[in-house]
Amino acid sequence: MTLPEWVEKLNQFCQRYDLEAEYLAEILNDPKVIPMIRGKSFEFTAQKLISEILLEKYRVFNPRLNAQTALQDVDFAIINRETGKQYSLECKLASKGSFRIDKKSQQPYLKVKCMRSRTLGEEAASQRAKTKGISKSLLMTHNDQYLQN
């Protein structure tokens, strides 16, 4: 993207959301905003790298969801073009420096923490409600949670 295209997109963004462009530098440097920006940057970079690894057999894309109560947070999705099976990924940047592009080798460096999602579907919520003695509606209120005990 050329600089004029980038500037035009930035101006359109500011107009769409009624933002004053003169404050963007301060907004971006706000300690409350920086972790969100780093997280989004990590999502886009991870999506790009996984796309390059999986090539044509899979489609990798960002569904642009704003996960709310009872919705799974999907940062990007992968669809097997042959089978149609879909996988969803949620990116978590654990700590500063846990992801970077090595300046010398230009290879990505990433510390990965793998864990099974706690997201419950309808059937799993029904089963867990029975075994834990909790109502299904309570479990589905926010279905990406740990039980306190």
Side-chain angles (χ1 to χ4, degrees), residues 45-62:
T45 304
Q47 178 183 344
K48 178 184 171 199
L49 293 171
I50 288 175
S51 293
E52 291 170 359
I53 292 167
L54 297 179
L55 299 173
E56 296 300 315
K57 187 175 179 185
Y58 295 87
R59 178 174 169 244
V60 181
F61 65 98
N62 183 324

Side-chain angles (χ1 to χ4, degrees), residues 13-143:
F13 174 83
C14 289
Q15 288 173 1
R16 185 180 329 131
Y17 294 104
D18 197 24
L19 302 171
E20 297 292 331
E22 68 183 284
Y23 302 120
L24 282 179
E26 288 83 5
I27 292 168
L28 295 173
N29 278 308
D30 187 302
K32 294 182 284 187
V33 175
I34 292 169
M36 289 183 280
I37 295 169
R38 287 183 64 242
K40 291 307 293 181
S41 177
F42 176 66
E43 289 173 23
F44 281 100
T45 304
Q47 178 183 344
K48 178 184 171 199
L49 293 171
I50 288 175
S51 293
E52 291 170 359
I53 292 167
L54 297 179
L55 299 173
E56 296 300 315
K57 187 175 179 185
Y58 295 87
R59 178 174 169 244
V60 181
F61 65 98
N62 183 324
R64 298 277 188 221
L65 297 173
N66 184 11
Q68 301 296 323
T69 301
L71 292 177
Q72 182 181 6
D73 184 13
V74 177
D75 294 328
F76 60 95
I78 300 171
I79 296 179
N80 183 312
R81 293 184 191 273
E82 294 172 11
T83 67
K85 184 164 180 161
Q86 182 169 326
Y87 306 89
S88 59
L89 284 88
E90 182 179 352
C91 299
K92 294 292 183 196
L93 192 55
S95 62
K96 189 173 181 179
S98 64
F99 173 77
R100 66 180 179 272
I101 302 294
D102 184 76
K103 290 180 177 134
K104 188 174 181 180
S105 69
Q106 292 301 303
Q107 295 296 311
Y109 169 82
L110 174 65
K111 290 181 185 175
V112 176
K113 177 182 177 185
C114 295
M115 60 186 242
R116 180 173 163 72
S117 173
R118 300 172 313 276
T119 302
L120 300 175
E122 292 282 331
E123 187 176 322
S126 294
Q127 291 174 350
R128 185 168 295 170
K130 290 175 189 171
T131 60
K132 298 291 184 183
I134 302 172
S135 73
K136 177 183 169 187
S137 62
L138 179 63
L139 284 172
M140 295 300 290
T141 300
H142 186 292
N143 68 350

Side-chain angles (χ1 to χ4, degrees), residues 1-15:
M1 183 180 325
T2 63
L3 183 59
E5 288 177 83
W6 183 85
V7 171
E8 181 58 31
K9 284 188 176 199
L10 181 61
N11 284 328
Q12 289 171 358
F13 174 83
C14 289
Q15 288 173 1

